[in-house]
Amino acid sequence: MTDSSETLSNLLHEQRRFEPPRDFTASANVGAATYEQSEADRLVFWAEQAQRLQWESPWSEVLQWRPPFAKWFVGGTLNASVNCVDRHVAAGHGEQVAIHFEGEPGDTRTITYAELLEQVCRAANALTELGIEKGDRVAIYLPMIPEAVVAMLACARIGAPHSVVFGGFSSQALYDRIVDAEAKLVITSDGGYRRGAPSALKPAVDEALAKGRTTVEHVLVVVRTGQEIDWVDGRDVRWAEALERQPAKHEAPAHDAEHPLYILYTSGTTGKPKGILHTTGGYLTQVSYTHHAVFDLKPDSDVYWCAADIGWVTGHSYIVYGPLSNRATVVMYEGTPDTPHRGRWWELIAKYRVSILYCAPTAIRTFMKWGSDIPAQHDLSSLRLLGSVGEPINPEAWIWYRKVIGGDRTPVVDTWWQTETGAIMISPLPGVTSTKPGSATRPLPGIGADVVDNEGRPVPNGGGGFLVLTEPWPSMLRGIWGDDARYTETYWSRFPEQGYYFAGDGAKKDEDGDLWLLGRVDDVMNVSGHRISTTEVESALVSHPRVAEAAVVGATDPTTGQAIVAFVILRGGGDSDEGELLVRQLRDHVATEIGPIAKPRQIMLVPELPKTRSGKIMRRLLRDVAENRQLGDVTTLADSSVMDLIQAKLPTAAAED
Ligand code: WT7
């Protein structure tokens, strides 16, 4: 677990309470009675929530559970794209803004639901023309531009599961995902804007496709920056041209509730990312319901902004499928929070009169560091609800968020969930729940979650252990793409007797039974809300010719939550004369292998690694070093002098960017 026991006990002594404002409660989408309704009959509850959607044909069974494989809304059919677009237009809301897009350079686009429908239809026709059929996989590698949303919805429309790859991932990571998903098409752009300058994307696609044989037949290229790019005739197709020549209408087929909607890769405890599979009916039901309940969206008056990237599950569920299925007006911003200045987010909130903001603690901590006077220069009075996601939010960041951004008036919802859960699982309901800074409070209606000990027994209030999900839920992953055994092993083998889903997080129950998430209990790090496995970074390091061995730990970091710290033994015992240069090369190497988000904050060149007699690396001791602490117990080390050797070498060159 990432928190030291000292921080933990501080957390659990948190005395501050925030009740929902009375007027908020009075008009909230969801009231306190929902908990009882859902407890009376969970499946009836979820069936009611599924009625929020437009189904083409009804289901015959709410849940078919053959542990650990679930089918929800068996036999029902629907189209996710119709639910997110067509039905709102058909109901007379075609002129409502679906997306307020703000590019980093300041260019803007306002897209109504009617315009979105036309774009999605043209894109669906274009995909079909390119030979994409139901069931084919499409990789999407795009910046935060509206075409990303259009591409996802067009894939959903024709039943071609999309696999969005975060634009910050390297060509190697893109290649691995294309190969694993056997994608037939890649949708990309020439580039996007990043920190005030055009940044290229298409070259990474070209590089990825040159790495080996793939199943990719075409590359569809959006022109965003106009920068010069290489072009492969016959393979590469311009997005605008492909869409232009299509009819503006497209008849959407109905898909089975269990038809795959998308694959999204996430880090596990081993080096190979897992393709998390989500299907249509249950997923859409739960993202739609949770968006309605947790964000209290009023489609006629709210302006909703989820500041995540579309490359992560937060973007899938709470920029695209949740909000659009609820007819939200969403804000989409391409760039970084400090371009061209550190008040950009607050400027956008004032400009679009954003009423609901959803972002990550790492962003909040960064803004805190920049100072309260920056948001104070902007009119944030439109905000009425704030959300947090991605990592534990420390109480001081929570309080700052509520006070400085929310004017001490908005409820704050700390939402716990994962790529695998598809939708929010643990969160306050803003009109119901009394909140405590730092606690995600309790499972949402219809969700079973608990904290258990090593044997799977629920811990009493005041106790800590492992977070588990005790009942199947509609938006649960249906598996790991192409690897049922790994699915069973990873999530369902920790507590087989009880049949619990093991989330990989440590948690505590306080005296009221409220839940406090404490971070991962496995070898997965959480850096700025992004999951990166220690093994993944170690493999990247070891693939460098100069590296003999590497051990990676996540060290507590005041801004990013955790930071990557690597301990590296050089091949041939090379020494630190070349240290600084080599450290820089190794950091760049990791960026090339995985992506800049995986660059270690610090790399220490060491002569040895601490190992037990059975050869297991003792990361606990390395974490002590990385966090500048007194070393813990070293008695189980095979060679107890190793830690002296390591510490004698420190401090070593550290780089920052
Ligand atoms: C892991 C999942 C959920 C979308 C973004 C991340 C951590 C997530 C919280 C929270 C404490 C949280 C957990 C989880 N996490 N939300 N509110 N409080 N921790 O999705 O990349 O699949 O990561 O993020 O450790 O297991 P993800």
Side-chain angles (χ1 to χ4, degrees):
M1 292 182 207
T2 53
D3 290 69
S4 66
S5 49
E6 196 187 345
T7 344
L8 184 55
S9 62
N10 284 345
L11 270 180
L12 294 176
H13 288 117
E14 177 62 62
Q15 293 298 322
R16 291 168 286 194
R17 299 280 181 283
F18 295 86
E19 301 306 325
R22 218 167 275 148
D23 56 335
F24 199 108
T25 302
S27 58
N29 284 352
V30 170
T34 322
Y35 287 108
E36 284 136 53
Q37 285 158 11
S38 69
E39 277 152 27
D41 191 328
R42 234 168 34 82
L43 295 187
V44 168
F45 170 80
W46 282 120
E48 273 168 21
Q49 305 321 316
Q51 298 295 359
R52 304 175 51 74
L53 305 177
Q54 177 180 314
W55 294 79
E56 304 308 326
S57 51
W59 60 85
S60 55
E61 204 183 343
V62 177
L63 170 67
Q64 192 188 87
W65 182 220
R66 307 218 164 99
F69 296 95
K71 287 186 177 161
W72 282 84
F73 309 111
V74 182
T77 65
L78 75 170
N79 187 295
S81 150
V82 167
N83 272 280
C84 289
V85 195
D86 306 45
R87 65 167 169 153
H88 306 319
V89 177
H93 301 288
E95 294 313 304
Q96 183 184 327
V97 174
I99 302 174
H100 284 297
F101 169 71
E102 176 98 5
E104 197 187 75
D107 56 317
T108 61
R109 279 157 72 186
T110 305
I111 301 168
T112 64
Y113 272 98
E115 288 162 348
L116 184 61
L117 176 60
E118 185 185 326
Q119 289 296 307
V120 171
C121 286
R122 286 181 186 277
N125 287 322
L127 294 182
T128 306
E129 188 185 85
L130 287 169
I132 303 302
E133 290 172 10
K134 180 169 177 164
D136 289 341
R137 274 82 61 204
V138 175
I140 298 178
Y141 187 64
L142 281 171
M144 281 290 288
I145 53 176
E147 285 82 355
V149 180
V150 173
M152 289 165 77
L153 292 173
C155 287
R157 195 170 184 93
I158 64 171
H162 53 72
S163 174
V164 181
V165 179
F166 173 54
F169 275 130
S170 66
S171 59
Q172 183 64 46
L174 174 63
Y175 171 75
D176 294 341
R177 285 156 178 75
I178 287 173
V179 169
D180 190 78
E182 298 182 277
K184 203 166 160 185
L185 173 75
V186 181
I187 306 180
T188 189
S189 72
D190 48 359
Y193 290 94
R194 205 83 197 141
R195 299 192 186 284
S199 144
L201 265 189
K202 169 81 162 43
V205 178
D206 294 335
E207 263 175 56
L209 297 182
K211 281 183 195 292
R213 274 181 75 93
T214 69
T215 41
V216 171
E217 291 172 7
H218 289 287
V219 178
L220 197 48
V221 186
V222 177
V223 175
R224 164 70 183 134
T225 58
Q227 65 205 106
E228 194 136 325
I229 48 173
D230 290 339
W231 200 257
V232 178
D233 285 327
R235 185 196 73 181
D236 298 351
V237 180
R238 279 193 184 76
W239 168 274
E241 286 168 20
L243 264 66
E244 225 163 69
R245 57 172 179 259
Q246 305 300 329
K249 285 200 171 18
H250 174 270
E251 182 111 19
H255 300 298
D256 190 272
E258 283 301 332
H259 185 70
L261 180 62
Y262 67 80
I263 304 166
L264 183 60
Y265 287 83
T266 189
S267 294
T269 51
T270 67
K272 190 176 184 296
K274 304 175 286 200
I276 303 301
L277 173 66
H278 284 291
T279 59
T280 309
Y283 173 80
L284 205 60
T285 296
Q286 196 175 330
V287 295
S288 182
Y289 169 69
T290 52
H291 183 262
H292 166 80
V294 174
F295 296 113
D296 194 52
L297 183 93
K298 312 284 194 250
D300 294 327
S301 52
D302 275 318
V303 177
Y304 166 89
W305 182 18
C306 166
D309 190 283
I310 223 113
W312 311 110
V313 74
T314 308
H316 285 58
S317 299
Y318 296 106
I319 294 177
V320 183
Y321 292 109
L324 298 182
S325 68
N326 288 332
R327 187 171 47 90
T329 293
V330 308
V331 169
M332 185 174 187
Y333 172 53
E334 178 186 30
T336 59
D338 53 355
T339 307
H341 58 80
R342 291 176 165 184
R344 187 73 190 267
W345 273 32
W346 320 122
E347 199 174 77
L348 288 178
I349 287 174
K351 174 174 174 185
Y352 294 107
R353 303 293 297 158
V354 171
S355 52
I356 305 167
L357 175 67
Y358 191 30
C359 70
T362 187
I364 299 166
R365 290 191 297 264
T366 303
F367 295 133
M368 278 174 82
K369 206 166 63 184
W370 291 347
S372 308
D373 50 318
I374 298 176
Q377 289 158 16
H378 300 270
D379 176 8
L380 305 181
S381 62
S382 54
L383 288 170
R384 65 178 195 93
L385 179 61
L386 301 175
S388 169
V389 62
E391 46 177 328
I393 177 163
N394 30 325
E396 289 327 305
W398 193 104
I399 294 281
W400 186 90
Y401 194 29
R402 181 183 153 106
K403 284 221 163 103
V404 178
I405 306 306
D408 220 358
R409 112 195 135 252
T410 59
V412 172
V413 288
D414 173 14
T415 62
W416 180 90
W417 58 295
Q418 310 176 297
T419 306
E420 291 86 341
T421 69
I424 300 173
M425 303 294 280
I426 302 174
S427 166
L429 287 176
V432 177
T433 318
S434 158
T435 52
K436 304 165 186 169
S439 170
T441 71
R442 56 183 291 192
L444 286 178
I447 298 302
D450 209 337
V451 181
V452 300
D453 65 16
N454 223 1
E455 273 71 54
R457 289 177 300 236
V459 302
N461 286 357
F466 305 104
L467 181 72
V468 293
L469 301 171
T470 57
E471 303 283 351
W473 62 100
S475 64
M476 66 191 280
L477 75 166
R478 297 304 195 264
I480 294 175
W481 185 253
D483 201 343
D484 282 351
R486 191 175 177 198
Y487 166 66
T488 306
E489 163 66 25
T490 308
Y491 304 106
W492 303 94
S493 66
R494 184 69 180 74
F495 302 107
E497 244 163 78
Q498 296 83 356
Y500 291 157
Y501 169 93
F502 173 55
D505 280 284
K508 268 221 142 176
K509 273 189 233 174
D510 68 15
E511 293 305 332
D512 305 323
D514 278 336
L515 301 174
W516 298 73
L517 278 308
L518 304 174
R520 304 288 306 189
V521 293
D522 51 17
D523 290 331
V524 175
M525 299 173 287
N526 189 324
V527 183
S528 298
H530 304 318
R531 259 162 80 170
I532 301 166
S533 88
T534 52
T535 331
E536 214 175 341
V537 180
E538 284 165 6
S539 310
L541 284 166
V542 173
S543 74
H544 189 278
R546 290 299 313 278
V547 175
E549 223 183 321
V552 166
V553 296
T556 304
D557 183 281
T559 307
T560 58
Q562 280 189 303
I564 304 173
V565 176
F567 296 81
V568 166
I569 304 180
L570 292 180
R571 226 174 252 280
D575 219 327
S576 42
D577 291 347
E578 43 171 2
E580 226 166 291
L581 179 66
L582 195 57
V583 162
R584 207 169 310 132
Q585 283 172 358
L586 291 178
R587 293 180 75 239
D588 290 343
H589 180 69
V590 175
T592 313
E593 288 294 305
I594 306 173
I597 53 164
K599 254 189 189 184
R601 180 187 71 185
Q602 212 176 348
I603 294 181
M604 307 196 190
L605 304 177
V606 294
E608 288 292 346
L609 290 172
K611 290 185 183 160
T612 61
R613 273 171 211 101
S614 61
K616 201 167 161 9
I617 293 173
M618 291 187 71
R619 290 172 205 281
R620 173 172 62 75
L621 294 175
L622 294 176
R623 225 172 283 130
D624 289 341
V625 173
E627 293 178 353
N628 249 323
R629 259 198 312 270
Q630 186 90 40
L631 287 185
D633 184 14
V634 294
T635 50
T636 50
L637 277 178
D639 173 1
S640 59
S641 64
V642 166
M643 290 314 292
D644 299 334
L645 269 177
I646 290 177
Q647 289 193 304
K649 297 286 282 183
L650 306 177
T652 327
E656 293 230 359
D657 55 72

